[in-house]
Amino acid sequence: MRISIIGGGTVGEEARETAVAAGRIVAQRGHTVVCGGLGGVMEAACRGAKEAGGDTVGILPTERRADANDYVDIAVATGLGHARNGLVVMNGDGVIAIDGAGGTLSEVGFSLVFDRPIAGLGTHDVPGVEACETPEEAVRYVEDELGV
């Protein structure tokens, strides 16, 4: 299964640690991390996944695969800017949102449009996002919603 981890491109230490833990748990549970491929939550989640031996996919807003963070295994260059946010969500079976601002909110919106279960960790409080306290709870919520 693929889990899209979305969140801020620039984050504080707490959100970074949460994203590393989420990526690690996703990988430990045998799933692939999908993200926007750049920094912040995206890089931290990929780092956690790689440290646990997992696989990562980065769907980039730019035209250059080389723009991906160092922990992305498969970089997909789109040249779409923020419009690539729909692709990040579509390529995951479920979503974990961590922190974030407007770009993350757009991904939450796409998650609702594409009927993906969304677990939230310190992110936007909107209908359809299941607020979770820990990365473990977030991964478990997505798995349960998908019957895994």
Side-chain angles (χ1 to χ4, degrees):
M1 175 169 72
R2 292 178 175 182
I3 297 180
S4 298
I5 299 182
I6 61 174
T10 304
V11 295
E13 190 57 34
E14 183 177 343
R16 187 177 322 283
E17 289 175 13
T18 298
V20 168
R24 182 181 310 115
I25 294 162
V26 166
Q28 288 170 340
R29 307 274 301 173
H31 311 306
T32 298
V33 168
V34 176
C35 71
L38 297 177
V41 163
M42 299 167 277
E43 182 175 23
C46 288
R47 188 179 99 213
K50 295 311 302 172
E51 288 173 354
D55 297 317
T56 62
V57 177
I59 301 177
L60 298 158
T62 63
E63 297 177 3
R64 294 172 6 109
R65 290 189 312 264
D67 292 340
N69 72 62
D70 291 340
Y71 305 100
V72 169
D73 292 317
I74 299 172
V76 180
T78 69
L80 295 173
H82 284 290
R84 71 74 157 88
N85 290 355
L87 298 174
V88 173
V89 170
M90 285 177 63
N91 283 281
D93 300 297
V95 178
I96 298 173
I98 302 169
D99 192 57
T104 304
L105 185 57
S106 76
E107 290 170 314
V108 167
F110 282 122
S111 300
L112 296 170
V113 168
F114 298 127
D115 199 29
R116 301 299 196 264
I118 315 162
L121 293 165
T123 193
H124 303 281
D125 181 16
V126 297
V129 176
E130 180 69 23
C132 296
E133 296 296 319
T134 66
E136 294 87 355
E137 182 183 349
V139 174
R140 189 171 51 250
Y141 171 78
V142 170
E143 288 176 332
D144 289 349
E145 288 297 301
L146 294 169
V148 175

